[in-house]
Every structure is written in C-alpha cells, then in structure tokens.
Amino acid sequence: MTSVRHIAAQRDPRDSYLDAARACILDVGWRRTTLTEVARRSGVSRMTIYRAWPDMKTLLGDLMTREWTAVVAARPPGDDLPAMVVATVRALRDNELFVRIVELDPELLLPYLLSRRGRSQDLVLGLLVDRIEQGQAAGEVRDGDPRTMARALVLGAHGFVLSAHTMVDDRVSEADLDAELSTLLTRVLAP
C-alpha cells in the first residue's frame, strides 16, 4: 500500500505554487493576483515563480488545465456517456475556481470559447472520443465520426456549463436543465 508520505513526495513542486495561485484568485480574482503574491504565499522567491511561469497568463493556463483535468478525471468511469457528461457539466459549474472566474474575470474564458481550444478541452475531447468508440463497438452509440461527435458534445455542453444559471427561475431548476441535457445526450447518441 502506498503511503500518503510517498504520494506527497511524488507531487510536482509546482503544484504548491499553483495552489497558492488558486488561493489568490479565490481571494481577490485574477486581475489582482500577481506572480509576486503567488511567490509570497508559496514561501519562495519571485524568481522561483518567474522561472516556472513568465507571466500570470501562462500560470493561469496551467492552473485551469490542472483544475479542469481533475474535475473531468473525478467522473466515475462506469457511468454511461450521458451520465458522465452531465456529472462533469455539473461539477464544472459548481467548481469554486470556475465560479470565481465567471464572477470576477469572465473574459478569461473567452479565448477558449471564441478563438481556440485549450489543453483541458483537448483532454475532454480525447476522453469523449474513446468513450464514443467504445459505445459504438458495443452497439450502444450510433454510427458516426467519433471526433465530430465529441466536438458537438463539447459545444453543446458549453452552454450548460456557462449559461445554465441564466435559464433558471422559479419554474425551471438547474436539476431540470441537467435532466434535459441527459435526455438530449441520450437521444443524440442512441443507435
């Protein structure tokens, strides 16, 4: 059995710097977080942080990749594909770093919605392609190009992650929307 101490010893030293950056962003937002403050909270010199990241934009990219990858990786592998996507959408929507970025610095997400894919999106696409191919091989998912299908699923999920709160009121709850997303996914993937 692997000890906690052994696991901690394997941890990338940059993780503690990312932890400090995460705490800063949660406290004051991205715009007010500096590499100097990350160094202070990490208990290391500014140069240590600057050697790892030349600027806050690069650090933020690594932080978001780490955060969103952890959210996606936490989804139970045994879930069917619609359940996995809905659970991931819900987890992203509830993630405290994601919520804080949307509240204070939503423009940080625009490049990933309007200009280019990020590393986390590529990871999600890879996982979806694998799950779609497995489902197709088992006869549980309709025929079609898995890459195109995965991209369509990610595009559809963007709205449920980013905008679901705009559709919630006293007649429609977030849970209602998640149930509808499950229905959409089930139907679009059905053989």
Side-chain angles (χ1 to χ4, degrees), residues 115-177:
S115 303
R116 65 180 180 83
R117 287 191 315 267
R119 288 175 283 169
S120 303
Q121 289 165 311
D122 283 336
L123 169 81
V124 169
L125 288 171
L127 292 171
L128 284 172
V129 167
D130 289 346
R131 292 296 293 267
I132 291 168
E133 288 173 340
Q134 292 168 13
Q136 287 172 330
E140 298 166 353
V141 173
R142 69 176 170 82
D143 289 336
D145 176 46
R147 283 160 208 75
T148 304
M149 293 168 71
R151 290 175 188 203
L153 293 179
V154 167
L155 286 171
H158 279 165
F160 283 88
V161 172
L162 294 165
S163 302
H165 68 280
T166 67
M167 297 295 145
V168 171
D169 57 26
D170 58 343
R171 290 189 274 179
V172 176
S173 70
E174 206 170 76
D176 294 331
L177 292 173

Side-chain angles (χ1 to χ4, degrees), residues 24-62:
C24 287
I25 292 168
L26 291 175
D27 286 348
V28 298
W30 181 77
R31 273 183 250 138
R32 292 181 56 201
T33 297
T34 64
L35 291 175
T36 300
E37 179 60 17
V38 172
R40 188 188 69 70
R41 286 189 187 217
S42 298
V44 298
S45 72
R46 284 190 338 232
M47 286 313 299
T48 300
I49 300 298
Y50 281 105
R51 274 192 222 84
W53 297 281
D55 54 38
M56 275 302 298
K57 182 179 175 185
T58 308
L59 184 148
L60 180 66
D62 285 352

Side-chain angles (χ1 to χ4, degrees), residues 61-90:
D62 285 352
L63 176 60
M64 287 193 305
T65 297
R66 183 187 78 164
E67 190 86 8
W68 314 155
T69 299
V71 168
V72 171
R75 303 292 44 92
D79 282 356
D80 65 356
L81 189 50
M84 182 188 80
V85 172
V86 171
T88 301
V89 163
R90 189 178 305 118

Side-chain angles (χ1 to χ4, degrees), residues 6-26:
H6 180 69
I7 292 169
Q10 293 177 342
R11 190 170 188 231
D12 184 338
R14 293 182 352 145
D15 280 337
S16 64
Y17 312 149
L18 292 173
D19 292 344
R22 185 181 193 279
C24 287
I25 292 168
L26 291 175

Side-chain angles (χ1 to χ4, degrees), residues 105-117:
D105 305 299
E107 70 279 1
L108 295 175
L109 301 174
L110 289 177
Y112 307 107
L113 298 172
L114 303 175
S115 303
R116 65 180 180 83
R117 287 191 315 267

